[in-house]
């Protein structure tokens, strides 16, 4: 694309830190937009200016951070992540956007703090769903969610797929023809939450492909099941189980686990990912839409034994599809689900069987 050569190496920051963070809070709906271009420091701008600068056909990459990240540390990570992604993509054009939500650390981190931020991350799917609705029709998007940022990501896709979050549904502009991809890193969500009828059961219906970077020795995610009784293990630690893939039925072809344990050890924080260029090289064709819609990136037993690169890619190509834009959005209460009739309750099976 000739127009793509005009895309610079700067980035945008979209903030919901001043927006409402609870379904019962009578606060502000909307986001703040900032621009980082060249050597100029981050400056506030508008969503209209952001949309005007997006080049049709050029992919949009949106990174969502996890919990206990301040505004200052987010800007530092954004600068490093922008370089990390662009270096891996070579000269390919890419619009990079960083979505930040209020997750600042307190003086002491308690299990309650983790729970509160997890719920807040989920609620921010409403804000991010509206942001995605503002983008041009011909710009495919890839969302990268780290830790609780994975919860923001899956919540967003679930809402765009018609699901509900905390009693609310998204009724703003959306289209099933819009192309989305998702990369989850150290995902602090149950490994089965994207299964049909589960917490984010509509998410996979909205996306072309989901790449899950799992770390089997992630110390923080090893403690994840302790947050509540009978909790499942984290997706970022164990990946999708065989049962998860079976329940997904035909949708399972969209899911891929990439084992990054040898590169991260017990680490969980995002800067450790930035220190591993192999990870950036692996996700780059996925983020830039340069590969197949169903990547084969799993690690074989022979690769584990011999020490060869476990992050092998399968290149291909696919053109983005257009998005039909419809104006207007307000969060709406979800309709109560209808109970299953008693006479059919025993014979119904989960979707995907």
């Amino acid at each position: 694309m000739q127009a793509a050569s005009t895309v610079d190496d700067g980035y945008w920051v979209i903030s919901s830190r001043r927006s409402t963070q609870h379904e019962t809070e009578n606060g502000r709906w909307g986001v703040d937009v900032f621009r980082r271009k060249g050597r100029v420091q981050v400056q506030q701008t508008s969503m209209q200016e952001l949309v005007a600068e997006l080049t049709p056909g050029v992919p949009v990459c949106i990174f969502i951070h996890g919990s206990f990240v301040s505004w200052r540390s987010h800007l530092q990570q954004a600068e490093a992540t922008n370089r990390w992604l662009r270096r891996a993509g070579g000269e390919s054009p890419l619009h990079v956007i960083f979505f930040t939500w209020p997750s600042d650390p307190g003086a002491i981190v308690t299990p309650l703090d983790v729970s509160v931020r997890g719920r807040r991350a989920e609620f921010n799917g409403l804000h991010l769903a509206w942001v995605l609705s503002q983008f041009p029709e011909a710009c495919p998007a890839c969302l990268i969610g780290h830790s609780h940022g994975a919860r923001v990501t899956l919540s967003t896709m679930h809402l765009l797929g018609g699901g509900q979050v905390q009693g609310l549904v998204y009724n703003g502009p959306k289209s099933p023809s819009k192309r989305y991809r998702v990369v989850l890193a150290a995902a602090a969500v149950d490994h089965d939450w994207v299964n049909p009828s589960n917490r984010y059961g509509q998410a996979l219906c909205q996306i072309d492909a989901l790449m899950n970077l799992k770390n089997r020795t992630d110390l923080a995610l090893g403690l994840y099941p302790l947050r509540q009784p009978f909790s499942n293990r984290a997706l970022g630690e164990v990946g999708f189980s065989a049962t998860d893939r079976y329940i997904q039925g035909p949708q399972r072809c969209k899911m891929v686990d990439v084992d990054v344990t040898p590169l991260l050890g017990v680490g969980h924080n995002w800067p450790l990912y930035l220190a591993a260029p192999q990870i950036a090289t692996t996700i780059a064709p996925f983020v830039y839409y340069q590969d197949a819609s169903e990547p084969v990136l799993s690690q074989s037993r022979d690769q584990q034994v011999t020490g060869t690169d476990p992050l092998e890619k399968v290149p291909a190509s696919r053109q983005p599809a257009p998005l039909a834009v419809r104006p207007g959005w307000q969060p709406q209460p979800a309709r109560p689900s209808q109970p299953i009739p008693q006479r059919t309750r025993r014979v119904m099976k989960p979707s995907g069987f």
Side-chain angles (χ1 to χ4, degrees):
M1 292 169 292
Q2 188 173 7
S5 61
T6 61
V7 178
D8 61 60
D9 60 355
Y11 57 87
W12 302 82
V13 176
I14 297 178
S15 172
S16 67
R17 290 175 176 265
R18 297 197 304 156
S19 306
T20 183
Q21 298 294 321
H22 196 273
E23 61 268 26
T24 61
E25 180 181 321
N26 188 22
R28 169 180 180 250
W29 287 97
V31 294
D32 296 304
V33 182
F34 302 85
R35 180 72 161 107
R36 172 72 158 85
K37 187 174 183 179
R39 297 185 177 181
V40 180
Q41 296 299 316
V42 173
Q43 296 180 342
Q44 189 161 7
T45 178
S46 65
M47 179 63 70
Q48 291 76 13
E49 184 175 342
L50 187 160
V51 172
E53 290 200 22
L54 296 181
T55 304
V58 175
V60 177
C61 177
I62 304 175
F63 177 83
I64 307 101
H65 63 74
S67 290
F68 309 113
V69 176
S70 66
W71 170 255
R72 181 181 297 273
S73 61
H74 167 68
L75 291 182
Q76 294 172 347
Q77 291 184 18
E79 187 72 27
T81 304
N82 183 55
R83 294 195 302 267
W84 186 73
L85 287 169
R86 294 189 184 279
R87 188 179 298 118
E91 299 299 323
S92 299
L94 182 70
H95 297 295
V96 182
I97 299 173
F98 296 91
F99 182 83
T100 179
W101 52 283
S103 66
D104 298 66
I108 301 177
V109 177
T110 66
L112 179 60
D113 293 327
V114 177
S115 177
V116 169
R117 282 161 179 77
R119 182 174 176 82
R120 186 181 298 169
E122 181 179 74
F123 185 84
N124 271 271
L126 287 163
H127 296 303
L128 186 53
W130 179 83
V131 169
L132 291 176
S133 73
Q134 305 303 301
F135 293 164
E137 298 180 0
C139 286
C142 180
L143 280 64
I144 304 177
H146 172 253
S147 191
H148 272 156
R151 196 169 297 194
V152 180
T153 301
L154 293 177
S155 171
T156 301
M157 294 294 102
H158 179 66
L159 287 163
L160 291 177
Q164 62 173 285
V165 166
Q166 298 177 17
L168 297 174
V169 295
Y170 174 79
N171 72 335
K174 54 186 177 180
S175 171
S177 62
K178 177 69 174 179
R179 294 199 67 191
Y180 295 109
R181 289 182 174 186
V182 167
V183 177
L184 304 180
V189 299
D190 287 23
H191 67 82
D192 62 345
W193 274 359
V194 297
N195 290 349
S197 302
N198 280 11
R199 189 160 182 161
Y200 304 128
Q202 297 296 112
L204 209 57
C205 301
Q206 282 298 115
I207 62 179
D208 291 348
L210 188 158
M211 180 188 295
N212 177 50
L213 306 180
K214 70 173 185 178
N215 179 4
R216 293 174 283 106
T217 57
D218 188 310
L219 185 59
L221 293 183
L223 302 175
Y224 176 85
L226 301 179
R227 78 193 198 285
Q228 64 183 26
F230 309 108
S231 174
N232 288 321
R233 297 175 71 180
L235 179 61
E237 180 195 13
V238 298
F240 296 103
S241 69
T243 302
D244 297 334
R245 295 180 181 278
Y246 178 70
I247 291 175
Q248 288 290 351
Q251 296 272 41
R252 63 176 173 266
C253 65
K254 299 180 179 181
M255 309 183 312
V256 59
D257 287 320
V258 177
D259 194 342
V260 295
T261 306
L263 301 174
L264 301 177
V266 299
H268 176 81
N269 293 337
W270 182 246
L272 295 174
Y273 287 78
L274 297 179
Q278 302 96 317
I279 298 178
T281 302
T282 297
I283 70 173
F286 193 82
V287 172
Y288 284 82
Y289 280 76
Q290 297 169 342
D291 63 342
S293 60
E294 300 171 9
V296 182
L297 299 170
S298 57
Q299 181 177 0
S300 68
R301 182 177 297 274
D302 292 340
Q303 289 173 325
Q304 295 179 17
V305 174
T306 60
T308 56
D309 185 3
L311 307 177
E312 188 176 358
K313 305 178 290 297
V314 177
S317 62
R318 183 175 174 184
Q319 295 298 321
L323 164 68
V325 177
R326 298 188 299 274
W329 171 68
Q330 283 289 334
Q332 297 291 324
R335 296 179 180 178
S337 58
Q338 297 296 323
I340 300 174
Q342 183 66 35
R343 61 184 178 85
T344 63
R345 184 171 296 166
R346 294 185 179 182
V347 300
M348 295 189 69
K349 295 182 179 180
S351 174
F353 277 74

